[in-house]
Amino acid sequence: MRKYNWDTTFDTSNRTMTHTFSDRVKVVCDFRFKIITTARDNDPIDKFSFAENEMTVSDYEMFLIGIASTAEQLSKLDYE
């Protein structure tokens, strides 16, 4: 089983949680508006709401693992 790592920071005043996978890939979870945004090179590439259908912790973990896998592949392309 692969193990992935990412840094997580919390901005409590803005009610956000940011997962940083690399200098190019981040996921921002905005608890105020219940929106999760995935960004590559600081440009949003995917955005969805969890207001209607809340994600379970397991679903969110699987989502983050998928992003980590993609970020790793992107990182490998940077070095080719």
Side-chain angles (χ1 to χ4, degrees):
M1 178 183 219
R2 296 231 6 117
K3 293 189 179 195
Y4 296 103
N5 293 307
W6 55 82
D7 292 324
T8 302
T9 55
F10 297 90
D11 182 343
T12 53
S13 62
N14 288 317
R15 298 186 62 204
T16 62
M17 174 174 58
T18 301
H19 305 290
T20 304
F21 298 90
S22 70
D23 58 337
R24 298 186 65 190
V25 180
K26 293 182 181 185
V27 171
V28 178
C29 181
D30 185 324
F31 293 104
R32 183 177 304 147
F33 298 105
K34 295 191 174 192
I35 294 174
I36 297 173
T37 305
T38 304
R40 182 175 55 219
D41 299 326
N42 293 320
D43 293 324
I45 59 169
D46 188 29
K47 186 183 283 192
F48 63 92
S49 171
F50 60 96
E52 302 266 331
N53 299 325
E54 292 197 21
M55 296 177 81
T56 66
V57 172
S58 295
D59 289 343
Y60 191 63
E61 178 184 32
M62 294 306 296
F63 167 73
L64 294 177
I65 288 170
I67 298 295
S69 176
T70 301
E72 183 180 82
Q73 293 170 7
L74 184 62
S75 176
K76 288 178 183 177
L77 290 175
D78 288 342
Y79 293 109
E80 291 182 349

